[in-house]
Amino acid sequence: MKLREIRDILNATVLWGEDRLDTEVRSACGSDFMSDVLAYVKDQGLLLTGLVNPQVIRTADMMDMKCVVFVRGKCPDQAIVDLAAERGIVVMTSPQRMYTACGLLYASGIRGE
């Protein structure tokens, strides 16, 4: 599924990476614990989180993720968006709660591994 479709499904706003919305993502994970992402996540292209700090972007970068969606309407500050831009990671914010966002994506064909 393309990031453009994910944006639409989650009613998300793109904060950085509008030109990368044709990037394909096949799987996703949702977590507010970056240590769990590092320990348990493999081959995921999309991270959904409510945690808003630079460690989210660093973790996504280490795990080769293509996009971070901040859920619950959380909006990262410009320093976090700039860090994501440096790393080539698309950043979105969605008003959906984590559970709902994961369910919407699952119902649309995005799976976790």
Side-chain angles (χ1 to χ4, degrees):
M1 178 179 295
K2 294 184 188 272
L3 291 177
R4 166 178 328 283
E5 297 169 90
I6 290 168
R7 176 200 60 197
D8 296 343
I9 291 166
L10 297 179
N11 192 28
T13 301
V14 178
L15 302 177
W16 186 86
E18 192 78 38
D19 61 327
R20 296 172 184 240
L21 294 183
D22 286 327
T23 301
E24 192 78 24
V25 173
R26 300 192 194 306
S27 59
C29 67
S31 182
D32 287 343
F33 297 107
M34 295 305 103
S35 59
D36 282 355
V37 174
L38 290 170
Y40 301 111
V41 172
K42 304 286 186 271
D43 300 320
Q44 308 291 308
L46 175 69
L47 173 62
L48 295 105
T49 187
L51 182 65
V52 181
N53 70 38
Q55 192 59 31
V56 171
I57 303 303
R58 290 186 186 99
T59 300
D61 185 42
M62 288 175 60
M63 304 306 289
D64 294 323
M65 293 184 176
K66 306 298 180 207
C67 179
V68 173
V69 178
F70 292 97
V71 295
R72 299 189 298 270
K74 301 281 184 96
C75 195
D77 63 28
Q78 192 59 48
I80 294 171
V81 175
D82 291 345
L83 181 61
E86 288 173 18
R87 306 263 187 337
I89 299 170
V90 176
V91 179
M92 299 185 203
T93 183
S94 171
Q96 304 293 339
R97 292 179 180 224
M98 175 90 73
Y99 182 81
T100 303
C102 290
L104 288 168
L105 292 176
Y106 187 87
S108 298
I110 294 289
R111 300 293 189 251
E113 295 296 322

